[in-house]
Amino acid sequence: MSLKPMSVAMAALTVVGLAPVNAHASAALRFGYENGTKSSGQPKLGFNECCQTSIQVDDLPRTGRYAIRSHLKYGDKMVAGGTRAESHTLDIKDTHFRSGETVYYGFSIYLASTWQNDSREDIVFQWKPWRDKCETDKSPSAFLSVQPSGKWRLRVNSDGSPCSTADTVHKTSFDLAEVKPGQWHDFVFKFKWSHDSQGSIDGWYQTHKNPGWRKVVTATGPNTFNDDATTQGYLKWGIYKPAWNTGPTEVESRTVFHDNITVGTSFSEVNPAAG
Ligand SMILES: [Ca+2]
Ligand SMILES: [Ca+2]
């Protein structure tokens, strides 16, 4: 009599055990903020923020009803060693990356029409590996910034040596497109992460007022660090103003909006313009 219920229970366990594996392999992870919270329903999303008003859900969306607003003022207390208001995925494994992996990323960024040019850059998205034991500091593998020139710039940092120092890192920059305040800027990047010649980056861009994807970067070669097997990279988005760590610039505050930050395995999965 007891055999039958046990085998049913075991069969159910097997199915439950398999389901998350399949979901992980096929489903993109998206932060669209449609549940109206700043964690977008991901309790492990982290925040580097000084104040209650630093990171808030806002009803200015790329799609749906909500997006995330990141706000920074000159003089805000430094967080995690810098002047920043950023969400991060340090504890969300499905966003982690390392050399040898190929990943698609999509996201949309809005700058208010009142956005003013500044003499120093604003960093709005980062792909950042943590440090190996032998490393004291580390740049992101890549980051997207607004430049004083009025361009979106992708900076890429790579290093083939296992223990990176400031002197061993190789830096490359790509100016992608013009920054247009008052518009949503959509980005898709395909990174084939590698610390050697196997690496590649493909990037596409459009704005919501001028839809139609344009290829804005095609690059091959190293694009990340030579790291321990247990060292991974994670994502950060919001606003980081490195210049304000040491002094003022021409602007006193910065506000940016992000929506539909997505990690997946194809362009269509991560397309931030698709609701
Ligand atoms: Ca949304
Ligand atoms: Ca390393």
Side-chain angles (χ1 to χ4, degrees):
M1 283 240 344
S2 64
L3 273 177
K4 198 174 174 186
M6 265 188 78
S7 61
V8 169
M10 283 181 74
L13 269 177
T14 306
V15 171
V16 169
L18 278 174
V21 176
N22 290 337
H24 176 75
S26 61
L29 179 61
R30 174 164 288 211
F31 298 84
Y33 301 98
E34 292 308 304
N35 74 343
T37 71
K38 73 184 203 179
S39 64
S40 192
Q42 295 286 334
K44 290 185 174 173
L45 189 65
F47 304 99
N48 291 147
E49 55 185 343
C50 73
C51 315
Q52 279 204 332
T53 54
S54 302
I55 301 173
Q56 293 181 304
V57 170
D58 198 283
D59 58 1
L60 191 159
R62 175 62 179 94
T63 64
R65 296 171 61 191
Y66 301 112
I68 199 74
R69 172 187 187 270
S70 307
H71 176 70
L72 201 59
K73 294 193 308 290
Y74 178 69
D76 276 353
K77 197 175 158 206
M78 290 211 284
V79 182
T83 311
R84 60 179 87 245
E86 293 180 303
S87 305
H88 72 77
T89 67
L90 187 60
D91 296 322
I92 302 179
K93 278 188 182 163
D94 285 354
T95 71
H96 292 171
F97 67 89
R98 55 175 286 104
S99 193
E101 295 177 351
T102 299
V103 190
Y104 281 82
Y105 304 92
F107 50 85
S108 293
I109 304 180
Y110 183 90
L111 306 178
S113 56
T114 52
W115 180 274
Q116 291 176 299
N117 216 39
D118 194 18
S119 60
R120 304 294 294 276
E121 70 181 0
D122 297 272
I123 294 172
V124 294
F125 199 98
Q126 303 191 47
W127 292 263
K128 188 165 171 55
W130 54 80
R131 295 170 196 170
D132 281 338
K133 284 198 180 74
C134 62
E135 292 163 345
T136 54
D137 198 7
K138 197 166 196 165
S139 316
S141 299
F143 62 87
L144 182 69
S145 66
V146 175
Q147 288 296 305
S149 63
K151 302 280 190 196
W152 294 102
R153 178 174 290 175
L154 183 71
R155 232 293 278 288
V156 179
N157 300 310
S158 66
D159 194 350
S161 58
C163 294
S164 291
T165 67
D167 294 335
T168 61
V169 176
H170 179 70
K171 302 170 183 176
T172 322
S173 289
F174 304 93
D175 282 352
L176 307 179
E178 216 174 299
V179 173
K180 293 176 178 162
Q183 300 192 34
W184 279 99
H185 301 76
D186 300 330
F187 294 94
V188 169
F189 292 102
K190 177 189 181 185
F191 275 89
K192 188 180 176 194
W193 293 109
S194 179
H195 60 80
D196 62 27
S197 59
Q198 307 289 306
S200 66
I201 304 170
D202 295 282
W204 297 263
Y205 162 87
Q206 66 176 9
T207 70
H208 87 284
K209 287 186 180 172
N210 188 15
W213 289 99
R214 277 199 296 130
K215 190 89 187 279
V216 287
V217 58
T218 305
T220 55
N223 55 27
T224 190
F225 296 83
N226 182 358
D227 286 337
D228 292 345
T230 55
T231 296
Q232 304 271 329
Y234 62 102
L235 310 178
K236 305 184 83 174
W237 58 89
I239 183 89
Y240 171 42
K241 189 78 173 170
W244 286 355
N245 299 346
T246 51
T249 63
E250 283 70 43
V251 300
E252 290 182 344
S253 74
R254 281 305 204 209
T255 305
V256 300
F257 302 80
H258 290 69
D259 201 3
N260 294 344
I261 301 101
T262 314
V263 180
T265 56
S266 70
F267 188 110
S268 58
E269 265 188 357
V270 305
N271 183 351

